[in-house]
Amino acid sequence: MKQKLIALDLDGTTLNNQSLLSDRTKNVLATLQKDNHLVMIATGRPYRNSKEFYETLKMTTPLVNFNGALCHNPTDSNWSNYYHKTLDKDFAMDLIEQREDMGIDFICVEGKETLFASTATLPSNEYFPKNLLATQITSKDTLSENPTSMNIFSEERNLHAIRDRILARYGNSIEIRTWGGTMPCLEIVSAGVQKALGVEVVANNYGIKREDILAFGDEDNDMEMIRFAGHGVVMQNGIAALKHIADDVTTHTNHEDGLAIYLEKYFCL
């Protein structure tokens, strides 16, 4: 089969409900890489908590983090197509000041490799491991770099209303996406940033045409990537709006090895 670029969302797609890679998934992706197909990750996660999956899968391809705000190659620090798109500090500080009025519990501000937060204490879970250090934002001076992204946390039932309030205040200067997984949140990046941006850069780097791109996702933040790919596939557990635009839907969920089963059939493994 002609070489394909396979772009994978992590949470709700490649990972199971415990945020783990199953043995079946690891084996299938290893086989595809051995067969000269290009497998890449395109995730809303920062590099700090996607690195383990990249390394476990023995990838050498570029990686898209922060829903497309960062495109880099962890195995090649001089990769020529690297890009990093950031938000403005003033925007970040204004949103932090408005968080209580907007019903936001807390905000995390992600730098490329540094984490800042509106609170001194982070919850302890898979997204925020116990040894993770965050600098509390008490003033603009404590935010030492322009943010790559901002994660908005509140009870899941409140996120839609919070999103509307943020868009009403800041308009078209930002992009807001829903980040799934075990701790749903809103992720804010600069205007024009989305996963398809990074996938296109990677495809061009390898000379891969759109018709030879497969993309897999399950959430709102995968929308542009699924549309862009020549063959966009949504997980059985994916949202209805994404299934509506997809070329195909898996027969099984992320927790039932849906990705691996689909790839086995597609590539006749």
Side-chain angles (χ1 to χ4, degrees):
M1 183 181 288
K2 190 175 181 182
Q3 186 183 46
K4 302 292 186 181
L5 175 64
I6 305 163
L8 305 174
D9 169 54
L10 285 178
D11 296 277
T13 301
T14 306
L15 306 181
N16 64 22
N17 291 347
Q18 279 74 53
S19 297
L20 299 173
L21 288 165
S22 72
D23 288 339
R24 188 171 184 175
T25 298
K26 287 187 282 188
N27 291 336
V28 167
L29 295 179
T31 298
L32 290 173
Q33 291 178 97
K34 185 178 179 181
D35 290 344
N36 200 38
H37 297 293
L38 300 164
V39 181
M40 65 172 289
I41 292 171
T43 179
R45 290 180 178 228
Y47 180 52
R48 62 176 168 82
N49 64 3
S50 54
K51 178 181 179 180
E52 63 175 298
F53 306 114
Y54 183 89
E55 293 177 344
T56 296
L57 295 169
K58 296 181 171 59
M59 291 181 166
T60 58
T61 47
L63 174 62
V64 175
N65 289 115
F66 301 109
N67 281 327
L70 174 64
C71 186
H72 60 125
N73 190 328
T75 65
D76 182 4
S77 59
N78 296 314
W79 184 56
S80 59
N81 290 312
Y82 166 94
Y83 73 77
H84 182 206
K85 299 182 182 295
T86 60
L87 295 160
D88 187 83
K89 282 186 189 180
D90 290 334
F91 160 75
M93 292 306 303
D94 187 71
L95 181 55
I96 288 169
E97 290 170 0
Q98 298 297 320
R99 67 186 184 278
E100 290 186 6
D101 288 342
M102 291 190 176
I104 297 169
D105 291 343
F106 70 98
I107 298 174
C108 284
V109 179
E110 298 272 5
K112 182 183 175 184
E113 297 178 353
T114 309
L115 179 66
F116 305 87
S118 63
T119 178
T121 305
L122 294 174
S124 179
N125 56 27
E126 179 269 338
Y127 190 82
F128 300 112
K130 290 182 179 179
N131 61 349
L132 181 65
L133 298 177
T135 300
Q136 185 178 8
I137 301 171
T138 55
S139 68
K140 187 177 179 180
D141 292 337
T142 57
L143 187 57
S144 59
E145 59 185 287
N146 284 334
T148 304
S149 72
M150 298 179 69
N151 293 331
I152 310 301
F153 293 93
S154 186
E155 292 186 33
E156 188 171 6
R157 66 175 182 269
N158 298 331
L159 291 179
H160 184 77
I162 292 170
R163 177 177 181 162
D164 288 346
R165 293 188 192 107
I166 292 172
L167 288 173
R169 184 174 179 87
Y170 303 105
N172 297 323
S173 63
I174 57 171
E175 301 279 353
I176 304 180
R177 291 292 182 265
T178 302
W179 191 84
T182 58
M183 194 174 182
C185 68
L186 300 177
E187 183 163 30
I188 300 175
V189 290
S190 60
V193 167
Q194 26 78 14
K195 290 183 181 182
L197 177 68
V199 172
E200 183 175 16
V201 167
V202 175
N204 290 341
N205 177 80
Y206 290 106
I208 303 291
K209 295 181 180 179
R210 278 182 73 174
E211 65 253 34
D212 294 315
I213 301 173
L214 281 75
F216 292 81
D218 72 306
E219 261 290 357
D220 171 69
N221 62 341
D222 299 309
M223 190 75 69
E224 291 85 358
M225 180 174 73
I226 294 297
R227 279 202 185 102
F228 174 75
H231 191 69
V233 184
V234 175
M235 304 303 295
Q236 183 60 232
N237 51 283
I239 61 173
L242 203 59
K243 290 178 180 179
H244 182 70
I245 66 159
D247 295 299
D248 208 351
V249 177
T250 65
T251 56
H252 295 71
T253 70
N254 66 303
H255 199 61
E256 301 166 326
D257 283 324
L259 172 68
I261 292 169
Y262 190 93
L263 290 170
E264 287 168 353
K265 182 177 180 180
Y266 187 92
F267 287 95
C268 302
L269 300 180

